[in-house]
Amino acid sequence: MKASAVADANIALVKYWGKRNKKLMLPHNSSISMTTDGLSTLTTVEFDKKYKEDIFILNGNKFKKGSEEYDEYIGVFLNFVREFSKINLKVKIVSQNNFPSTAGLASSAAGFAALATAINKSLNLGLSQTELSILARRGSGSATRSIFGGFVEWKKGEREDGSDSFAEQIVPSGYWPEFKMIIGITSKKEKKIKSRAGMAQTVKTSPYYKVWLESVNEDLKKVKEGILERNFPLVAKTAEENCLKMHALMMTARPSVIYWNKGTIEIIHSVLNWKGEGLETYFTIDAGPQVKILCLEKDIDGVRKRLRDIENLKDIIITKPGRGVRIAEKHLF
Ligand code: DP6
């Protein structure tokens, strides 16, 4: 049966950066994110004997077996799905993002959350939200969190088989609609180092990885508490510090992993200056050059006005806490 699902990207406030098990996609630490509103992926899947080989089309581009994108991401995931569901049919997958792919905007998170959900419906697997979160994790770690809306925690879990490594909603999207994220796009190019490779290099070579793991639990506690109390400075300041710690790890990997460009640095300096001008603004940055500015509704106009003076800014997207994954009636083929 043909089935479609929509999922939104999520942006981490406490980052996931490093795997303790690469095959099962198990993280070294828990993480917390906000599911965005409107940075969506729509995916349609159909398993059928009429397909002689798997077909995967993302944003109009066909990815073939043998390419890195296909083999390392979708190919591994589909093999796992067939093994797990005991269904041996080939599949056609068409997926469309409404935002730039692979430039540090969590496209794989939305992509695998939508894909897992569409597969669940199409194969009639009857998976619960928790099981979907575990399935999405096998595609991309951060996808485990995009199953849920609002603010979400991915619990790293302790078990070797990964059965306790899944996401849980902290609060739904309606709990804190004043929480805003302004995504400053500083480059629309594909990034050179994928998160997967960047994090593996960091875990292996950064002398500070151990220090990161020692401090991350405190960040998780503060961000979770801040979300529940709607304490903006507690959440946003901790998120900014956590992001800088993650980038310090990347920079101290050998060879170093640096995702920032001059626009990234220009926005960082601006956000830091705005604090002195009375705006309550903070930032977070993922494995890419885009800067996500965190602020409350009351400061949105002030930020937008000031963003006009940033030279190396290509575009902005304003988002807020959004919904979890859902089935779509519209099919892409
Ligand atoms: C910096 O989930 O893209 O965005 O699990 O290898 O697919 P894989 O990596 P991915 O990494 C996301 C890294 C991050 C932080 C985060 O989202 O928590």
Side-chain angles (χ1 to χ4, degrees):
M1 189 177 101
K2 200 180 277 186
S4 299
V6 182
D8 290 84
N10 70 76
I11 304 296
L13 300 170
V14 179
K15 311 293 186 188
Y16 144 57
W17 195 250
K19 296 178 180 64
R20 69 174 195 277
N21 181 321
K22 288 186 189 151
K23 179 162 181 253
L24 301 181
M25 311 282 271
L26 299 175
H28 272 297
N29 62 276
S30 298
S31 51
I32 295 181
S33 58
M34 182 193 93
T35 302
T36 64
D37 177 42
L39 272 79
S40 316
T41 301
L42 168 63
T43 297
T44 302
V45 307
E46 183 179 42
F47 288 85
D48 197 294
K49 52 181 180 316
K50 71 183 173 205
Y51 299 121
K52 300 295 168 233
E53 59 173 29
D54 292 329
I55 302 167
F56 174 55
I57 299 168
L58 171 63
N59 297 332
N61 300 313
K62 198 166 173 174
F63 288 90
K64 292 226 169 71
K65 253 188 177 158
S67 68
E68 186 196 326
E69 276 83 3
Y70 187 92
D71 292 351
E72 273 187 34
Y73 290 81
I74 211 85
V76 175
F77 184 71
L78 291 177
N79 289 343
F80 172 68
V81 165
R82 288 199 186 89
E83 184 189 310
F84 159 86
S85 64
K86 304 193 173 48
I87 285 166
N88 227 340
L89 295 168
K90 301 285 185 208
V91 62
K92 177 171 179 182
I93 303 167
V94 178
S95 200
Q96 192 68 42
N97 294 339
N98 68 355
F99 59 94
S101 302
T102 62
L105 281 183
S107 54
S108 66
F112 279 104
L115 180 59
T117 305
I119 288 176
N120 182 37
K121 171 103 197 287
S122 150
L123 294 179
N124 219 350
L125 300 175
L127 301 179
S128 66
Q129 295 290 94
T130 300
E131 288 164 332
L132 272 183
S133 174
I134 291 179
L135 176 60
R137 191 197 77 217
R138 296 294 294 257
S140 180
S142 52
T144 202
R145 299 182 306 235
S146 272
I147 297 297
F148 299 96
F151 293 88
V152 180
E153 178 171 13
W154 173 13
K155 302 222 153 100
K156 72 182 180 75
E158 301 294 337
R159 293 185 205 137
E160 287 295 310
D161 67 356
S163 57
D164 58 350
S165 183
F166 51 79
E168 278 175 3
Q169 185 174 68
I170 300 173
V171 293
S173 58
Y175 187 83
W176 202 3
E178 302 80 18
F179 190 105
K180 303 286 176 203
M181 196 178 272
I182 304 176
I183 304 176
I185 313 267
T186 62
S187 166
K188 293 190 178 175
K189 288 194 200 121
E190 281 217 1
K191 62 192 185 197
K192 290 199 189 88
I193 310 173
K194 294 222 160 56
S195 317
R196 196 159 297 181
M199 69 175 79
Q201 198 158 305
T202 306
V203 175
K204 213 166 130 195
T205 63
S206 171
Y208 302 128
Y209 199 73
K210 206 170 142 259
V211 182
W212 159 262
L213 289 181
E214 279 162 11
S215 74
V216 81
N217 283 340
E218 188 58 29
D219 293 349
L220 287 161
K221 199 169 143 253
K222 284 192 200 156
V223 168
K224 199 166 171 180
E225 211 173 279
I227 291 169
L228 291 169
E229 291 167 357
R230 298 190 190 86
N231 179 340
F232 181 72
L234 182 61
V235 173
K237 185 168 178 283
T238 312
E240 187 177 287
E241 289 166 2
N242 182 269
C243 144
L244 288 172
K245 278 191 272 186
M246 177 183 74
H247 284 274
L249 292 179
M250 296 170 173
M251 287 174 190
T252 51
R254 292 292 171 266
S256 54
V257 180
I258 301 179
Y259 289 108
W260 298 358
N261 61 23
K262 58 181 175 188
T264 317
I265 295 175
E266 196 186 352
I267 303 178
I268 292 177
H269 283 299
S270 305
V271 173
L272 294 175
N273 288 338
W274 298 340
K275 290 197 226 277
E277 296 168 15
L279 284 189
E280 251 189 310
T281 49
Y282 297 85
F283 63 83
T284 186
I285 305 161
D286 289 298
Q290 331 302 3
V291 184
K292 288 94 182 185
I293 301 167
L294 309 175
C295 69
L296 287 172
E297 173 88 56
K298 66 176 173 67
D299 286 325
I300 276 272
D301 290 341
V303 174
R304 287 180 77 147
K305 212 174 104 216
R306 285 169 176 82
L307 280 173
R308 286 190 212 127
D309 298 330
I310 305 225
E311 239 174 87
N312 298 291
L313 183 65
K314 303 254 184 299
D315 211 345
I316 63 164
I317 303 172
I318 301 184
T319 186
K320 61 178 193 302
R323 289 179 292 167
V325 74
R326 59 254 174 220
I327 293 296
E329 297 313 322
K330 181 183 159 200
H331 298 311
L332 285 170
F333 63 92

